[in-house]
């Protein structure tokens, strides 16, 4: 094993030395140098379908065609996995984009893999000398960061590195190291957003929303940390905390006389892949001594469309307990009404993106009305979330959507503030 490690270290040393030689040579001769980090999209699919040897031939074919086009202008090297690094000279950003377009045009050509024609799509992260300082390793790092960013957060084929991308990486690293102790230290807490029945103008439910009470930064929304805990494996533990705490809280409000209040709880995708999830749900419900008809699990469309037979069975088992299942953010990702016919759900929450401009957009108005009418036809509950303005509320009311959640009534608040809100509303 040591021999393999030594060989790997020797390879990396030689790899860096080669890059330095090329980089310094290009600088001396041409002055300006750009880095293009290229990745073939979904390359793992080729690996799985055609095998690693065949897919490697595809990568080599792409590399050769790229080299034929750019060999007089650039230096190419296979970086790691399916990544290809191109080092090229330029005069201005227009030159950089011209080279990217040449790279892109290769994807329009015919590729054959194991006798079968396949199409190729790529993503490109670009960094160039002068973004921050003239440094090989920095520009190499920045092009890789830009590539990761464009793969995860952009529909564009390429993107230039910008400082905010690196800041995002640093923030994630910092959050990841700090949040591991946040649950144990009691820094994670629940806020609740009231849900209103506008026919009776009564609070019929609350949605439990996780917040991080950071010792230095104060209250942080999930946008600051949710992607980190999804990636570092904490999401299931946090999900268990949310379920346990929200059930205790709804039991307390019932005991105070608000006996018809419902609690909506967001369930993460990974929780459906936890074999012990159903047993944990039963345990928490039993401990809280709460009637399950007052519990709603909210899951996203993404979870719904990826459900296999065993996960559909899990949802059915949850519903047998008396817990209702709602689709959260309905319409934002897949926007197909077919799910409402075929899947075991009890209600939907129309995403805020349709509500935001409903008073001005005929298209949003028609879509929203269609979804509401269909939900009623299928005997499903329907909630409009993200309602902030009176005009939006009027539109929703005219469509016979009686359940509303949004800033127009109340932002998410802590449990003590909920007590006051319930008394005054």
């Amino acid at each position: 094993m040591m021999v393999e490690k030594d060989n790997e270290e020797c390879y990396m040393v030689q790899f860096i030395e080669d890059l330095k030689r090329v980089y310094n040579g290009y600088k001396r001769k041409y002055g300006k140098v750009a880095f293009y980090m290229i990745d073939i999209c979904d390359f793992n699919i080729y690996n799985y379908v055609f095998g690693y040897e065949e897919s490697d031939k595809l990568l080599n074919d792409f590399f050769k065609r790229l080299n034929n086009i750019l060999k007089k202008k650039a230096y190419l090297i296979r970086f790691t996995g399916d990544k290809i690094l191109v080092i090229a000279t330029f005069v201005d950003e227009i030159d950089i984009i011209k080279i990217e377009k040449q790279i892109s045009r290769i994807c329009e050509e015919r590729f054959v893999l194991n006798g079968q024609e396949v199409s190729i799509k790529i993503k490109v992260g670009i960094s160039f000398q002068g973004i921050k300082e003239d440094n090989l390793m920095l520009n190499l790092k920045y092009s890789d960061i830009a590539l990761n960013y464009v793969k995860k957060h952009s529909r564009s084929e390429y993107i230039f590195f910008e400082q905010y991308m690196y800041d995002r990486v640093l923030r994630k690293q910092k959050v990841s190291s700090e949040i591991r102790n946040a649950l144990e230290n009691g820094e994670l807490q629940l806020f609740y957003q009231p849900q209103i029945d506008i026919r009776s103008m009564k609070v019929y439910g609350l949605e439990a929303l996780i917040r991080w009470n950071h010792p230095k930064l104060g209250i942080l929304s999930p946008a600051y940390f949710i992607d980190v805990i999804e990636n570092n494996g904490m999401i299931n533990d946090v999900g268990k905390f949310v379920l346990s705490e929200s059930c205790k809280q709804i039991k307390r409000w019932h005991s105070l006389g608000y006996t018809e209040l419902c609690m909506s709880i967001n369930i993460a995708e990974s929780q459906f892949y936890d074999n012990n999830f159903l047993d944990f749900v039963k345990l928490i419900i039993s401990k809280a001594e709460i009637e399950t008809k007052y519990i709603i699990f909210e899951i996203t469309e993404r979870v719904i469309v990826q459900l296999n037979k065993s996960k559909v069975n899990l949802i059915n088992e949850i519903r047998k307990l008396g817990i209702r299942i709602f689709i959260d953010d309905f319409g934002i990702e897949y926007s197909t009404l077919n799910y409402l016919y075929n899947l075991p759900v009890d209600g939907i929450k129309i995403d805020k993106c349709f509500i935001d401009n409903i008073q001005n957009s005929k298209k949003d108005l028609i879509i929203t009305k269609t979804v509401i009418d269909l939900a009623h036809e299928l005997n499903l509950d329907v909630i409009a979330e993200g309602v902030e303005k009176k005009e939006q509320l009027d539109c929703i009311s005219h469509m016979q959507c009686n359940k509303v959640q949004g800033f127009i009534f109340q932002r998410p608040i802590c449990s003590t503030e909920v007590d006051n809100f319930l008394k005054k509303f």
Side-chain angles (χ1 to χ4, degrees), residues 155 300-301 328-335 351-354:
R155 294 185 179 181
T300 65
E301 281 186 87
D328 193 15
D329 302 329
F330 186 82
I332 193 171
E333 268 191 280
Y334 299 94
S335 304
D351 187 73
K352 183 180 184 298
C353 69
F354 293 107

Side-chain angles (χ1 to χ4, degrees), residues 179-184 188-190 210 225-226 229-246 265-268 270-272 274 276-277 280 284:
I179 202 168
R180 289 189 180 278
N181 298 318
L183 191 55
E184 294 179 7
L188 297 185
Q189 64 185 76
L190 295 187
I210 190 73
F225 60 87
I226 198 70
I229 63 174
E230 285 175 346
N231 292 330
N232 71 8
M234 281 185 64
I235 188 68
N236 281 0
D237 289 334
V238 172
K240 288 179 178 179
F241 163 76
V242 172
L243 180 59
S244 177
E245 190 66 23
S246 56
I265 304 164
N266 292 284
I267 304 299
S270 63
Q271 289 178 272
F272 280 92
D274 181 352
N276 299 316
F277 179 63
F280 182 78
I284 293 302

Side-chain angles (χ1 to χ4, degrees), residues 329-343:
D329 302 329
F330 186 82
I332 193 171
E333 268 191 280
Y334 299 94
S335 304
T336 173
L337 302 180
N338 192 47
Y339 307 129
L340 300 184
Y341 287 99
N342 299 319
L343 288 168

Side-chain angles (χ1 to χ4, degrees), residues 373-388:
D373 289 345
L374 180 59
H376 288 159
E377 287 287 331
L378 297 174
N379 201 28
L380 298 175
D381 262 337
V382 57
I383 302 170
E385 61 179 339
V387 179
E388 299 180 358

Side-chain angles (χ1 to χ4, degrees), residues 19 35 37 79 85 136-144:
L19 281 183
F35 284 64
M37 193 70 75
F79 192 57
L85 175 66
L136 165 68
M137 298 310 293
L138 273 180
N139 280 293
L140 187 64
K141 177 173 69 177
Y142 290 157
S143 63
D144 204 16

Side-chain angles (χ1 to χ4, degrees), residues 69-332:
I69 291 176
L70 300 178
K71 59 185 176 183
K72 295 181 180 179
K73 308 172 186 176
Y75 174 82
L76 284 72
I77 189 168
R78 284 187 59 171
F79 192 57
T80 58
D82 58 326
K83 292 179 184 176
I84 294 173
L85 175 66
V86 174
I87 300 177
T89 63
F90 70 97
V91 175
D92 52 32
E93 287 191 26
I94 295 176
D95 281 343
I96 295 176
I97 295 174
K98 283 181 180 178
I99 292 177
E100 197 286 326
K101 294 302 181 187
Q102 287 181 297
I103 296 171
S104 176
R105 276 195 289 272
I106 296 176
C107 298
E108 300 172 6
E109 298 177 6
R110 183 173 179 266
F111 286 87
V112 177
L113 186 55
N114 199 25
Q116 182 175 329
E117 188 169 332
V118 297
S119 59
I120 286 179
K121 293 183 179 180
I122 61 171
K123 292 284 188 178
V124 186
I126 304 173
S127 172
F128 57 90
Q129 175 191 334
I131 282 183
K132 192 164 185 180
E133 58 181 280
D134 183 9
N135 184 291
L136 165 68
M137 298 310 293
L138 273 180
N139 280 293
L140 187 64
K141 177 173 69 177
Y142 290 157
S143 63
D144 204 16
I145 290 172
L147 173 62
N148 285 327
Y149 188 89
V150 76
K151 285 169 65 176
K152 293 180 180 179
H153 305 291
S154 176
R155 294 185 179 181
S156 300
E157 182 176 276
Y158 71 92
I159 199 167
F160 287 97
F161 171 82
E162 292 189 40
Q163 184 61 39
Y164 73 86
M165 299 174 191
Y166 187 44
D167 294 341
R168 186 186 181 98
V169 173
L170 292 177
R171 180 185 66 78
K172 281 190 175 183
Q173 189 278 326
K174 182 176 175 62
V175 169
S176 184
S177 62
E178 290 182 344
I179 202 168
R180 289 189 180 278
N181 298 318
L183 191 55
E184 294 179 7
N185 296 339
E187 295 170 13
L188 297 185
Q189 64 185 76
L190 295 187
F191 275 42
Y192 303 89
Q193 187 169 34
Q195 298 165 324
I196 313 299
D197 186 328
I198 56 178
R199 289 174 302 184
S200 61
M201 288 307 291
K202 291 183 178 180
V203 182
Y204 75 88
L206 299 152
E207 180 182 2
L209 299 163
I210 190 73
R211 295 291 186 267
W212 182 6
N213 190 359
H214 193 283
K216 294 181 181 178
L217 302 177
I219 300 296
L220 301 175
S221 77
Y224 190 85
F225 60 87
I226 198 70
D227 55 342
V228 175
I229 63 174
E230 285 175 346
N231 292 330
N232 71 8
M234 281 185 64
I235 188 68
N236 281 0
D237 289 334
V238 172
K240 288 179 178 179
F241 163 76
V242 172
L243 180 59
S244 177
E245 190 66 23
S246 56
C247 285
K248 290 178 188 176
Q249 196 59 247
I250 195 65
K251 177 65 174 179
R252 187 180 76 84
W253 281 315
H254 283 184
S255 68
L256 292 176
Y258 307 105
T259 54
E260 298 300 313
L261 272 183
C262 296
M263 179 64 74
S264 293
I265 304 164
N266 292 284
I267 304 299
E269 181 178 0
S270 63
Q271 289 178 272
F272 280 92
Y273 294 91
D274 181 352
N275 293 329
N276 299 316
F277 179 63
L278 183 61
D279 289 337
F280 182 78
V281 171
K282 292 178 180 178
L283 177 64
I284 293 302
I285 295 297
S286 174
K287 282 185 175 181
E289 297 180 338
I290 188 169
E291 292 184 68
T292 51
K293 67 180 182 180
Y294 297 112
I295 301 296
I296 297 168
F297 283 176
E298 295 186 7
I299 58 180
T300 65
E301 281 186 87
R302 175 183 171 83
V303 174
I304 284 289
V305 298
Q306 293 183 348
L307 287 175
N308 55 28
K309 185 176 180 180
S310 66
K311 299 304 177 282
V312 171
N313 289 340
L314 174 60
I315 286 184
N316 283 325
E317 289 300 315
I318 291 171
R319 294 179 77 218
K320 284 179 183 178
L321 296 176
I323 296 171
R324 287 174 287 167
I325 302 291
F326 279 35
I327 303 177
D328 193 15
D329 302 329
F330 186 82
I332 193 171

Side-chain angles (χ1 to χ4, degrees), residues 393-421:
L393 186 64
D394 290 341
C395 287
I396 292 297
S397 178
H398 289 149
M399 295 179 197
Q400 304 302 310
C401 177
N402 302 310
K403 294 182 177 179
V404 171
Q405 179 178 341
F407 290 179
I408 190 169
F409 292 111
Q410 182 60 61
R411 294 173 178 270
I413 48 179
C414 68
S415 59
T416 303
E417 290 175 300
V418 171
D419 291 345
N420 295 329
F421 181 84

